[in-house]
Amino acid sequence: MEIVDSIEGLAAFKGCGFVPTMGALHEGHFELIRRCARDGLQPLVSIFVNPTQFAPHEDFQRYPRTLEADSRGCQSAGAAAVFVPTVEMVYPRGLAQAQEEAKLLQLPPVASRPQLEDACRPTHFSGVCQVVARLFDLCRPQRAYFGEKDFQQLRVITQMVETSRALAPEARPVDGSFTPQIVPCPTVRDADGLALSSRNRYLRAEERERALGLSRALRRAHEILRPQMNEPVAPAPALAAIIAHAEAAMLEELERHQLHVEYAVVRDADSLEPVQQQNAAQSPAPLRALIAARLGTVRLIDNA
Ligand code: PAF
């Protein structure tokens, strides 16, 4: 496995399968690499803790940096190369300028009306779109792999790429000739249900037990919503009542685990908007339950 630390070194990986990460890798990331290899593409992993997606009060400074262990893990999972760019490579006009430019980015619809992550972390998706677009242009992948764990991020990036394809070349955030196909991959969980996350390593033992509240809350929502999935489409008021019931159950479960809830909602899985109505002529729209909760200073998200 190669370690690429220059832009020139990326030329050999044009058309690769790309797994962008911020390091502190876990089985969830390794599964993305394995999936990419199964798809017959050369897996290229980037490791870059992107400063522009962190607000000043967030954990950029203490974000775990574990390059040696990450490289070993990537190699075992079958990565062809790990790209470890510097800030100067990603933001050649300088970080201060990049931070200003991020504020001007027009976000895709799924993040343009603050509601979920974007309401709690208002500058986050500008930084994510900025860095992902830049990494796509540098690495020129055929496909890029993202975990469903960050579900809104996945939707934002998917829409960014779709929009980019439709725009005139000079208006594209991503170079239109190389907009990769975005491949969503299922969340990887520990045996007890906790979704794997780089930030789980911040949790102390008793906090880890409380963190299970997220997956348990999602399970309760699933139990309430599942019968709905197999029925003919419910009329809008009935569906609204079932969703309200599922949201109340999630809240109860999260509070039982003494978690500070930021949101616990059931949304249309495509737009992430509240579910307005169901057209009886169509099959039921896919739903997504999404949670963000704090446990001390650690912020956890999950969805199903
Ligand atoms: O999900 C992440 O790790 C980051 O947001 C990403 C997509 C690598 C961009 O920095």
Side-chain angles (χ1 to χ4, degrees), residues 181-258:
Q181 180 195 342
I182 304 300
V183 183
C185 301
T187 302
V188 177
R189 296 176 183 278
D190 274 337
D192 58 9
L194 186 69
L196 298 192
S197 160
S198 303
R199 290 186 168 98
N200 287 355
R201 63 187 78 197
Y202 296 152
L203 296 171
R204 296 193 301 265
E206 69 68 43
E207 289 178 329
R208 200 192 168 291
E209 171 57 31
R210 282 166 56 205
L212 291 176
L214 278 86
S215 53
R216 288 176 183 155
L218 290 170
R219 211 167 308 132
R220 282 191 64 186
H222 182 71
E223 278 157 16
I224 292 164
L225 293 163
R226 189 179 38 196
Q228 164 67 22
M229 300 295 142
N230 302 325
E231 287 299 312
V233 180
L239 184 65
I242 298 165
I243 287 177
H245 180 197
E247 291 180 342
M250 288 200 290
L251 204 56
E252 185 188 271
E253 194 66 36
L254 293 164
E255 285 172 352
R256 199 169 70 76
H257 288 77
Q258 297 169 306

Side-chain angles (χ1 to χ4, degrees), residues 280-294:
Q282 294 169 353
S283 54
L287 302 175
R288 232 341 111 163
L290 304 114
I291 296 175
R294 285 187 185 278

